[in-house]
Amino acid sequence: MLDPQQCRSARLARDARFDGRFFIAVETTGIFCRPICPATLPQERHVRYFESAVAAARAGFRPCLRCRPDSAPDSPAWQGPQTTLARAIRLIDAGALQQGNVTALCDRLGIGERYLRQLFQRRFGVSPKAYAIYRQCLFAKKLLHETTLPVIDVAHASGFSSLRRFNDAFRRQMALAPSDIRRRKRNSAALTVKLAYRPPYQWERLRHFYALHVIDGLEWVDEHSLGRTLRQGETTGYFEARHDQERHQFVVTLVLSELGDLSAIVGQIRRMLDLDADTATIEAHLQRHLPDLPLAEGLRLPGSWSVFEAGIRAVLGQQISIAAANRLIQSLVDHLGETETGGRRRFPTASAIAASDLAFLKLPASRRETVRRLASAHDRGDIGDDPRQWLSLKGIGPWTANVVAMRGNGDPDVWLDGDVGLRRALARRETPVDVASASPWRSYLTMQLWNQIL
C-alpha cells in the first residue's frame, strides 16, 4: 500500500499512473472513487485511502457513479503470480467459486481453508466468498454501464444463477439497484466493454510483437487494434481490442456464443494486453538497479490466449526462427482448428491435437511426439496451468516452461536463460547485465532486451 502522502499527491494531481493502485473514500458522502475522478476534490480531513475496492466497500462506502471504480485497472501482482494469494485471486476471478466451493479451491491450491481465509482477511478484510461476490457485482456494474444487455443476461454473465440472487447481492454490495444505473441505449449486435490501463503504454511495440507472430485466420492486427478467435470453457467467438490512447483504455468488441464465461474472457484479454502492470514502478526499479540499460517506456508482456496454447506454440518454436515457427503453427491451425464464423479458425483443442499423428507438421518425429505428449497430458488433466509441472514431460525443458510462464500466465519475474534473442541483445552490450537485480521484474527486462533486436 502506498503511504498517505503518496496517495494525497496522486489524487490531487489526478495522476492516471496510480489508477487502480488505491481508492479514495469520502466520509462526508459515503462514496469511494478512483484517483482520476473528475469530481471536486474533497478536503484531506474527510478522506480515507484503501488498497482495494473490496476493502472500501467492506468499510461501508459505495462506488462513485462518475469515475466508476469497476472500470479501474486491477492491482498489479507485486509478488508475482506464483504466490498463493495471487493464484487464489486469479482462480476466483476466473470463476472458481461460481463453479465450485472453497474446499475445491483449496484443493487446487494445496492449502487448508483456514489458511486461505486468513490470507483474504489480512489483505481485504473479507472471506474468499465475499471477495468473489463483490467482484461479480463490480463486473455486473461495468456491464450495466457499458452494454445494452438485458439485466437477466448481465446476471448470467456475472456468474449469478438467478436474477433474484443477483438483485439481492447487487443491492447489498453496491447499495444500489441495477435499475439505478442502467442507461437506455440502442441495441447492438456485439458486446462492447472498455478496459483501462495505467499509462505509459507502449502500444506500438506490443502491436509489432503480435504482428510478427500473427497466424492467419486465428488472429489479426492493424495499426490501432488486434483481435482473435477464442474458446473459454463452452464459450466460443472472437474479440477485437482497439487502442484509445487519449483515454488510456482499449475498447473491446466481443461476439460470443454465450455469456456465462464473459468475466473470465475479459480477464484473459486484460492479461493478454498486460493492462494491470504498473510500468512506471517496474521501469524505476530496472533503472535503479541497471542504470546503464536504455529503457523503452511502457513496454508490456504480450500474452497468449491460454497456457495450453502458449505451451504448444513454445514447443513448435523451439530452436527455430519466428518465421519457421509461424509456418508450423499455421499448419496446425489450418489442419486441426475449429471453424469460426467468417472462415476464421480457433486454436485446436488438446483432444484434437492428441488424436492426430501430426504427420502434416514438417518436424522431427521426437518434436511431434512432444506436442502430442503435452496435448494428451493436458486433455487427461495430468498437468495444470503451472508450467513447472510440465518439466516431467519428455521434450519440455526450462526454456519452454519459462516462455509459457511469461506468456501464458503473465509471470513478471521470468528470465529466459539461453534464449537466442537475449544472447544477441547481450552480445551487443559493452557491460554485463546483472539479471538477478532485476527481480521481481525479470520478464520486463526480457522485453526491454528483446525490444532492442526485434
Side-chain angles (χ1 to χ4, degrees):
M1 179 63 183
L2 300 168
D3 65 50
Q5 184 55 47
Q6 290 174 308
C7 292
R8 179 178 181 276
S9 298
R11 81 172 181 91
L12 292 178
R14 293 190 171 95
D15 193 332
R17 294 174 301 172
F18 291 85
D19 192 14
R21 287 191 59 186
F22 71 95
F23 293 86
I24 304 151
V26 184
E27 293 180 328
T28 52
T29 63
I31 289 172
F32 73 93
C33 303
R34 298 158 68 180
I36 61 170
C37 186
T40 302
L41 292 169
Q43 297 182 34
E44 188 68 18
R45 67 175 183 272
H46 300 312
V47 164
R48 290 174 62 186
Y49 297 111
F50 291 91
E51 187 176 5
S52 68
V54 175
R58 177 70 174 172
F61 295 93
R62 63 186 186 276
C64 174
L65 294 179
R66 292 188 67 182
C67 67
R68 295 180 44 219
D70 53 280
S71 292
D74 285 337
S75 297
W78 295 110
Q79 296 175 294
Q82 301 305 326
T83 64
T84 301
L85 178 61
R87 286 181 61 215
I89 290 170
R90 188 169 67 246
L91 290 171
I92 289 173
D93 288 347
L97 294 186
Q98 298 169 30
Q99 300 147 10
N101 54 30
V102 173
T103 301
L105 174 62
C106 289
D107 288 342
R108 294 177 68 178
L109 295 169
I111 61 173
E113 292 184 36
R114 181 179 179 184
Y115 180 56
L116 182 66
R117 290 193 177 93
Q118 289 174 344
L119 290 176
F120 274 82
Q121 283 291 339
R122 284 199 294 264
R123 176 68 185 272
F124 301 112
V126 297
S127 68
K129 187 63 176 177
Y131 169 88
I133 291 174
Y134 190 78
R135 293 283 293 184
Q136 288 174 247
C137 289
L138 271 185
F139 186 67
K141 184 174 178 292
K142 182 178 183 65
L143 296 180
L144 289 167
H145 278 292
E146 297 181 5
T147 76
T148 59
L149 289 173
V151 173
I152 191 168
D153 287 346
V154 170
H156 178 57
S158 305
F160 290 94
S161 57
S162 72
L163 182 60
R164 179 179 178 180
R165 186 167 175 266
F166 166 64
N167 284 329
D168 289 346
F170 197 90
R171 286 189 179 94
R172 286 198 308 271
Q173 300 292 333
M174 300 287 119
L176 294 165
S179 58
D180 292 335
I181 58 175
R182 166 59 81 182
R183 297 177 180 176
R184 298 290 181 182
K185 298 181 180 179
R186 295 188 301 273
N187 288 331
S188 172
L191 175 67
T192 300
V193 295
K194 298 170 184 175
L195 305 182
Y197 60 80
R198 300 173 194 83
Y201 192 100
Q202 183 55 261
W203 160 247
E204 286 302 320
R205 299 310 300 169
L206 187 75
R207 186 202 67 80
H208 177 66
F209 186 97
Y210 279 118
L212 283 178
H213 296 81
V214 71
I215 302 302
D216 187 44
L218 176 73
E219 304 154 321
W220 52 98
V221 182
D222 63 25
E223 184 179 358
H224 300 293
S225 67
L226 64 83
R228 63 160 292 148
T229 61
L230 62 89
R231 172 183 287 279
Q232 182 74 24
E234 298 302 315
T235 303
T236 60
Y238 64 89
F239 77 86
E240 183 168 291
R242 181 161 294 274
H243 187 221
D244 183 350
Q245 183 174 354
E246 183 178 348
R247 294 179 175 83
H248 310 311
Q249 65 182 14
F250 280 84
V251 180
V252 181
T253 302
L254 303 105
V255 177
L256 304 173
S257 61
E258 56 183 277
L259 297 174
D261 295 302
L262 180 58
S263 179
I265 288 169
V266 170
Q268 290 285 80
I269 296 170
R270 293 199 68 89
R271 183 189 53 75
M272 272 191 69
L273 299 172
D274 200 13
L275 299 183
D276 298 322
D278 183 357
T279 55
T281 296
I282 293 167
E283 288 155 17
H285 177 93
L286 295 179
Q287 193 67 69
R288 184 166 60 253
H289 292 279
L290 302 166
D292 64 336
L293 180 70
L295 298 178
E297 192 177 61
L299 283 187
R300 305 288 170 136
L301 302 181
S304 291
W305 177 252
S306 69
V307 174
F308 173 70
E309 181 178 328
I312 295 296
R313 294 177 80 145
V315 171
L316 291 177
Q318 289 174 353
Q319 300 176 343
I320 58 176
S321 67
I322 293 174
N326 286 350
R327 288 193 292 271
L328 291 172
I329 299 163
Q330 186 74 63
S331 181
L332 185 74
V333 171
D334 290 344
H335 280 84
L336 300 179
E338 301 170 315
T339 302
E340 180 58 75
T341 306
R344 296 173 177 143
R345 287 185 174 274
R346 293 188 290 275
F347 195 81
T349 62
S351 59
I353 296 174
S356 172
D357 62 8
L358 305 180
F360 54 85
L361 291 178
K362 297 179 179 179
L363 282 172
S366 60
R367 187 74 56 81
R368 284 199 297 270
E369 283 307 305
T370 297
V371 173
R372 294 186 69 247
R373 197 177 295 115
L374 174 59
S376 296
H378 193 277
D379 189 42
R380 293 192 304 267
D382 293 345
I383 58 173
D385 284 346
D386 183 354
R388 291 174 300 180
Q389 300 174 349
W390 301 7
L391 293 172
S392 61
L393 298 176
K394 185 178 179 181
I396 304 291
W399 181 88
T400 301
N402 283 335
V403 168
V404 176
M406 186 174 76
R407 296 206 59 206
N409 276 334
D411 188 334
D413 197 26
V414 170
W415 175 249
L416 298 179
D417 193 30
D419 181 77
V420 174
L422 291 181
R423 287 206 302 264
R424 285 171 53 200
L426 292 172
R428 294 181 181 182
R429 293 181 49 79
E430 295 180 357
T431 57
V433 172
D434 181 6
V435 174
S437 70
S439 186
W441 311 116
R442 287 178 293 177
S443 296
Y444 293 90
L445 172 61
T446 298
M447 293 308 303
Q448 292 287 345
L449 292 169
W450 273 353
N451 183 61
Q452 297 175 10
I453 61 170
L454 292 179

